[in-house]
Each structure stands twice: as structure tokens, then as C-alpha cells.
């Protein structure tokens, strides 16, 4: 009598055979690697517009909150809840979108998230009271949380190993561009108390662009193979790789690993011991990416700097410089992350980010208004922190989570990692102004400096180097118990071959 594993093995054998048959029918296409490279880049760039949604609505609250406070006479707690509503919604969006993208596909899930974002952006701009505004921002958060879960996974499954770091990190670059756009919009529209309405409604524009762009993009070939749509998967994979030998190798890797997953373990369990190192690495980086304080600057820099003696316009203009710096450093990180590596970039840059926060805190030891060299030092330390934190943790956070998990739990695990980002961000959003009141500006910046030191220690101990490895090689290292020790060696072997 055949056993269940034999039935599964037979099914996987037929899946593999159908995939190879579909590939054989496409041999006449010849070598299309150059056009395939362009196609991958275009697909990643369009999908990364999801980061623009994330960046714009994360950044616009820094400018809008001043005027929302005036319109609705908000207390400190009210300001924190308006800012944090998006984050709370994002937690639910990140967790709920995983099952949706697993069942219906990555592409339809992204389009649904874009639709929710359009409606919620208009709802924020038209809100008649603070309760409606918070409700609409909760739904904005659902859409953004879903996007942060789905887009990195989608791009990681489309990209070749040699370019995966840069292509997935486009999401963070477009996030930084969204921040920059939000800061410019906030500065330009800062003339009246009701300007925040237009600020929020303009967020619908990137959502419309994302929804339209996804009509022309393919489904993830790994998702299609996992759901036995072999002919469609192979056709898309050929467009993404452009050469039969590369496609054949990738099919062998994906289907061999998928066979192991089907034969050995429950298909959705994240409690298995061999997956634990990936969970520790991904969830730890996700938490530290927010607890290390970048959104202290993004959300509250204008208010903190206004309280320290800068005028509203000067504080908003400083936020624009924050957006420019974060965009430049993220572009630099994308250019280097596949060459230098994810782990090494974080280890090089986090100590300088911590030092910048210690200097920034020291600037505020004096209660005198910011002026002269103290003002110059404040701006230099502020931008230095943004440069070295965004260039390390913020560039790597979505990439690490999207690449270290096996395919059969990747979407669910990415949802957990994304939710961890949003829980940590919510904590920061809710306590920052209270921390400033309790510890002072100096104490608050120094606290986040020590958290950056803790992030360095965590990366050094728990995060391996994954640059240059395929998703299947990473899964193989997890299964073999060599996640911390052998991934870099596999990367070198693949490059040498």
C-alpha cells in the first residue's frame, strides 16, 4: 500500500515533469538575458511603489500633526493616537494579508491593498472630527501593513540571487522618496490650519499608480509552482531569467526544496526548531529597525525642534533635509548591499548611528535657544544618525525577513516580521513625547543611542550573511543547522561556479 510520502513524492515528480516539459517548449526563444534583466528591474520598481505609500503617509504626519492639533485642539495623548492609529492598523494588515497572498496570489493582494489605501486617504482628508480621522488612519495602516508584508516577498521571489538585495531594498528607497515627497508637500502646504486635509488626500496618487502598475506585472513564479500552475510559472520565470539553463537550475532548486517541505513537515508551522534561527534573526532586525529610533525623527522632529526654540517653518525645513539624507543613504545602501553584504553594512554603520544620537543628546544639555555652532552640530548629528541608521537597519529590515524563511511559511513569517515592525513602531509613536517630557530631549536621544548599541550586539550574534545566496540555499542551511556558519560559504561557492 503506498504511503502518504510516496503519494506526495509522486505528485511532486509530476509537477517537476510538467515544469520541465513547459521549459522544453520554450527553448526556441534563445538567450534573452538582457531583456530579462530589464524586465525584473521594471517589475521590482513598479511593485516598490508600495513603499511610496508607506513613506508618504509615515512622513506626512510629521507635517500635518501640527495643523491637525490646531484644528481639533489635541492634547499630547491625542497627537500620539493620531500618529499611532496607522501603526495599529498596520499590525492587523501585516498579519491578515499573509493568508490572502498565500491563497489568491501576491499580485491580487497588492492590488487590494492599493484600493483600500485610496479610499482611506480620501477619508482622512475629509474627516469631520478626530474620531473619523483616527478610524481612516487605521484603514490606511491596514493597507500599508499589507503592502510591507507582500511587496518584499513578491520582489524576493521574482529576483535572481545576485540582485535580490538591491531589488528588494528598492522598497526602502521608494519609502525614503515617499518621506521626502511628504516633507516637501508638508512644507509647501503649511500655510493654513486646514492644509492637513490636502496633505492626506494627495496620498491617493501613489496608490492609484500602484494599482494600475500591478495590472501589467506577473504573478510570483514560486507561488505559481507551489500551486501547480507549472506552465504559467515557467513562462514567467523565462521572462525573468532569459536563459533555459538558468531557469532549469532554479526549477530544480525550488521543486527539490518544496518536495522536502511536503514530505517532512506541517505546511504552515513556524514552531519547528529548525526555523527558529530565521525567526530570531528576522524578528530581531524588525524590532530594532524601529526601537532604534528612526521614526522619532520622522514623526516628531518638527514638534521636538519647535519646542527647542526653532520656528515651525525652520523645523519643517529640517525635516526636508532628513528626507533628502534618508533617500541618499538608502540609494547608497541599495548599491552596496549585494557587494558588502547585509550583516557587514549593519555592523559597520550602527556604531556611528549610536554616536550621532549621543552627540545629538549632548547638544540639548543647554536650555538656551539653538543657534550658532550648537545649531550646526545639531543638524550634523541629526543627519548623521539618519544616514547611518537608514543605511543599515532600515535598508536591511525588509530584505532579511523576505529571504531567510522557507517558501511554505514565507508569507506567514513575513507577516509576523512586518507586524513586529509595526508593533515596535507603535510603541515608539505612543511613548516618544512622553519620554521627552519625562527624560528631557537629551535623555530621550541618549536612550535611543543605547538601543542602537544593543542592535549592533544583536546583529553580531544572531544575523548571518545572506548576500549572494539563493532562497533555496538559505533554506538548506536552516534545515542542516548551519544557518549561522555556512551561508556565506555557499554564497562563495555559487559565485565561483
Amino acid at each position: 500500500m503506498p504511503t502518504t510520502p510516496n503519494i506526495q513524492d509522486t505528485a511532486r515528480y509530476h509537477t517537476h515533469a510538467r515544469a520541465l516539459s513547459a521549459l522544453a517548449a520554450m527553448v526556441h526563444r534563445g538567450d534573452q538575458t538582457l531583456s530579462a534583466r530589464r524586465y525584473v528591474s521594471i517589475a521590482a520598481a513598479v511593485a516598490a511603489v508600495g513603499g511610496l505609500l508607506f513613506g508618504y503617509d509615515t512622513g506626512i504626519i510629521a507635517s500635518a500633526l501640527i495643523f491637525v492639533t490646531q484644528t481639533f485642539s489635541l492634547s499630547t495623548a491625542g497627537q500620539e493616537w493620531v500618529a499611532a492609529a496607522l501603526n495599529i492598523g498596520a499590525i492587523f494588515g501585516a498579519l491578515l494579508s499573509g493568508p490572502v497572498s498565500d491563497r489568491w496570489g501576491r499580485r491580487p493582494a497588492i492590488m487590494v491593498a492599493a484600493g483600500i489605501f485610496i479610499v482611506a486617504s480620501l477619508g482622512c482628508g475629509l474627516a469631520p472630527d478626530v474620531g473619523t480621522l483616527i478610524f481612516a488612519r487605521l484603514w490606511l495602516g491596514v493597507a500599508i501593513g499589507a503592502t510591507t508584508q507582500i511587496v518584499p516577498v513578491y520582489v524576493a521571489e521574482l529576483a535572481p540571487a545576485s540582485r535580490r538585495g538591491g531589488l528588494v531594498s528598492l522598497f526602502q528607497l521608494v519609502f525614503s522618496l515617499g518621506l521626502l515627497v511628504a516633507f516637501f508637500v508638508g512644507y509647501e502646504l503649511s500655510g493654513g490650519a486646514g492644509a492637513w486635509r490636502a496633505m492626506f488626500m494627495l496620498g491617493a496618487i501613489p496608490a492609484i499608480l500602484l494599482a494600475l502598475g500591478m495590472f501589467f506585472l506577473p504573478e510570483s513564479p514560486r507561488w505559481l509552482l507551489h500551486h501547480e500552475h507549472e506552465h504559467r510559472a515557467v513562462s514567467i520565470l523565462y521572462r525573468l531569467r532569459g536563459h533555459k539553463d538558468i531557469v532549469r537550475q532554479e526549477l530544480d532548486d525550488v521543486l527539490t526544496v518544496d518536495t522536502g517541505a511536503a514530505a517532512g513537515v506541517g505546511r504552515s508551522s513556524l514552531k519547528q526548531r529548525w526555523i527558529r534561527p530565521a525567526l530570531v534573526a528576522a524578528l530581531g532586525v524588525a524590532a530594532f529597525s524601529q526601537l532604534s529610533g528612526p521614526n522619532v525623527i520622522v514623526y516628531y522632529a518638527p514638534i521636538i525642534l519647535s519646542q527647542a526654540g526653532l520656528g515651525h517653518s525652520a523645523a519643517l525645513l529640517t525635516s526636508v533635509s532628513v528626507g533628502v539624507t534618508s533617500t541618499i543613504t538608502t540609494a547608497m545602501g541599495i548599491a552596496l548591499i549585494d557587494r558588502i553584504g547585509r550583516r557587514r553594512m549593519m555592523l559597520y554603520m550602527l556604531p556611528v548611528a549610536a554616536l550621532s544620537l549621543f552627540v545629538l543628546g549632548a547638544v540639548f544639555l543647554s536650555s538656551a535657544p539653538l543657534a550658532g555652532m550648537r545649531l550646526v552640530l545639531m543638524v550634523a548629528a541629526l543627519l548623521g544618525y539618519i544616514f547611518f541608521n537608514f543605511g543599515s537597519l532600515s535598508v536591511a529590515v525588509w530584505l532579511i525577513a523576505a529571504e531567510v524563511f522557507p517558501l511554505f511559511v514565507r508569507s506567514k513569517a513575513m507577516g509576523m516580521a512586518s507586524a513586529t515592525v509595526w508593533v515596535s513602531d507603535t510603541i515608539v509613536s505612543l511613548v516618544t513625547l512622553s519620554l521627552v517630557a519625562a527624560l528631557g530631549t537629551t535623555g530621550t536621544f541618549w536612550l535611543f543611542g543605547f538601543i542602537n548599541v544593543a542592535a549592533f550586539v544583536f546583529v553580531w550574534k544572531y544575523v548571518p550573511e545572506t548576500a549572494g545566496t539563493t532562497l533555496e540555499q538559505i533554506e538548506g542551511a536552516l534545515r542542516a543547522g548551519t544557518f549561522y556558519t555556512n551561508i556565506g560559504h555557499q554564497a562563495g561557492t555559487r559565485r565561483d561556479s
Side-chain angles (χ1 to χ4, degrees):
M1 177 179 291
T3 63
T4 300
N6 286 335
I7 293 172
Q8 291 171 332
D9 289 345
T10 300
R12 295 293 163 183
Y13 171 80
H14 287 302
T15 296
H16 204 163
R18 288 192 297 268
L20 295 180
S21 175
L23 177 61
M26 298 176 188
V27 172
H28 67 279
R29 296 186 182 183
D31 188 345
Q32 301 176 10
T33 51
L34 290 178
S35 62
R37 185 179 179 86
R38 287 193 297 270
Y39 185 58
V40 171
S41 298
I42 292 170
V46 172
V49 173
L52 194 62
L53 311 183
F54 179 19
Y56 183 85
D57 266 273
T58 299
I60 201 63
I61 193 63
S63 302
L65 193 55
I66 294 173
F67 304 106
V68 172
T69 299
Q70 294 174 358
T71 300
F72 296 123
S73 301
L74 297 180
S75 63
T76 295
Q79 293 174 38
E80 290 176 335
W81 278 107
V82 169
L86 183 143
N87 306 48
I88 295 169
I91 296 168
F92 291 98
L95 293 174
L96 297 175
S97 59
V100 173
S101 68
D102 274 343
R103 179 167 185 177
W104 303 107
R106 318 306 194 204
R107 179 172 167 266
I110 294 172
M111 295 171 71
V112 169
I116 294 173
F117 194 95
I118 293 168
V119 175
S121 294
L122 298 177
C124 283
L126 298 173
D129 52 58
V130 69
T132 304
L133 177 60
I134 290 174
F135 181 75
R137 280 184 60 78
L138 280 169
W139 278 101
L140 273 181
V142 170
I144 292 176
T147 301
T148 58
Q149 183 272 323
I150 305 164
V151 170
V153 168
Y154 174 72
V155 177
E157 292 178 352
L158 258 61
S162 61
R163 301 178 63 202
R164 188 175 64 245
L167 292 176
V168 174
S169 297
L170 276 176
F171 183 81
Q172 183 65 29
L173 174 61
V174 179
F175 164 77
S176 296
L177 288 172
L179 281 181
L180 182 57
V181 170
F183 291 149
F184 272 116
V185 168
Y187 182 70
E188 290 296 325
L189 296 182
S190 60
W196 59 271
R197 297 186 182 277
M199 294 180 191
F200 284 133
M201 286 193 286
L202 286 172
I205 294 175
I208 293 170
L209 294 176
L210 178 63
L212 292 176
M214 291 304 299
F215 275 110
F216 302 98
L217 294 189
E219 183 54 83
S220 160
R222 282 176 166 82
W223 184 88
L224 291 169
L225 284 170
H226 198 61
H227 289 77
E228 299 182 356
H229 300 291
E230 296 87 3
H231 285 271
R232 189 176 164 204
V234 172
S235 177
I236 291 170
L237 195 56
Y238 203 101
R239 291 188 67 189
L240 294 168
R241 301 294 180 264
H243 195 283
K244 62 181 179 63
D245 293 338
I246 302 174
V247 175
R248 173 65 183 266
Q249 179 62 55
E250 196 155 333
L251 286 173
D252 288 342
D253 289 346
V254 173
L255 292 170
T256 299
V257 167
D258 206 31
T259 299
V265 296
R267 297 195 61 77
S268 61
S269 176
L270 281 167
K271 298 179 181 179
Q272 299 161 79
R273 187 179 184 87
W274 64 276
I275 297 178
R276 196 172 302 162
L279 275 173
V280 171
L283 299 188
V285 171
F288 276 116
S289 73
Q290 303 306 307
L291 297 179
S292 60
N295 285 341
V296 172
I297 307 301
V298 171
Y299 290 150
Y300 297 121
I303 290 177
I304 293 172
L305 295 177
S306 294
Q307 292 173 349
L310 288 182
H312 285 347
S313 294
L316 290 174
L317 193 57
T318 301
S319 290
V320 172
S321 66
V322 167
V324 172
T325 303
S326 67
T327 302
I328 292 172
T329 191
T330 305
M332 178 203 71
I334 288 174
L336 297 178
I337 199 164
D338 282 317
R339 300 178 185 179
I340 296 178
R342 297 81 159 115
R343 170 185 163 89
R344 282 185 287 274
M345 281 188 64
M346 289 187 281
L347 292 180
Y348 292 161
M349 300 180 79
L350 279 171
V352 188
L355 178 62
S356 298
L357 285 176
F358 292 139
V359 172
L360 189 60
V363 168
F364 289 97
L365 282 171
S366 171
S367 59
L370 289 170
M373 284 305 299
R374 283 182 64 235
L375 180 59
V376 172
L377 189 59
M378 182 276 293
V379 173
L382 184 72
L383 298 184
Y385 165 73
I386 290 296
F387 187 91
F388 289 100
N389 184 278
F390 270 66
S392 54
L393 280 174
S394 294
V395 169
V397 57
W398 306 112
L399 173 60
I400 295 292
E403 66 184 3
V404 297
F405 293 107
L407 175 62
F408 71 98
V409 293
R410 184 172 298 140
S411 187
K412 177 182 286 187
M414 185 66 196
M416 288 183 61
S418 181
T420 300
V421 169
W422 290 107
V423 169
S424 304
D425 195 9
T426 301
I427 293 171
V428 170
S429 301
L430 289 175
V431 305
T432 294
L433 294 181
S434 300
L435 281 175
V436 172
L439 303 178
T441 305
T442 293
T444 301
F445 284 132
W446 282 357
L447 172 62
F448 285 109
F450 284 116
I451 294 174
N452 276 262
V453 173
F456 170 85
V457 174
F458 176 86
V459 171
W460 176 74
K461 188 170 183 180
Y462 293 111
V463 180
E465 186 56 71
T466 54
T469 57
T470 67
L471 299 177
E472 288 68 40
Q473 284 177 319
I474 295 171
E475 179 172 345
L478 276 170
R479 290 179 179 277
T482 59
F483 183 68
Y484 297 122
T485 60
N486 201 39
I487 292 180
H489 172 73
Q490 291 179 338
T493 301
R494 175 58 66 100
R495 283 193 294 267
D496 292 342
S497 63

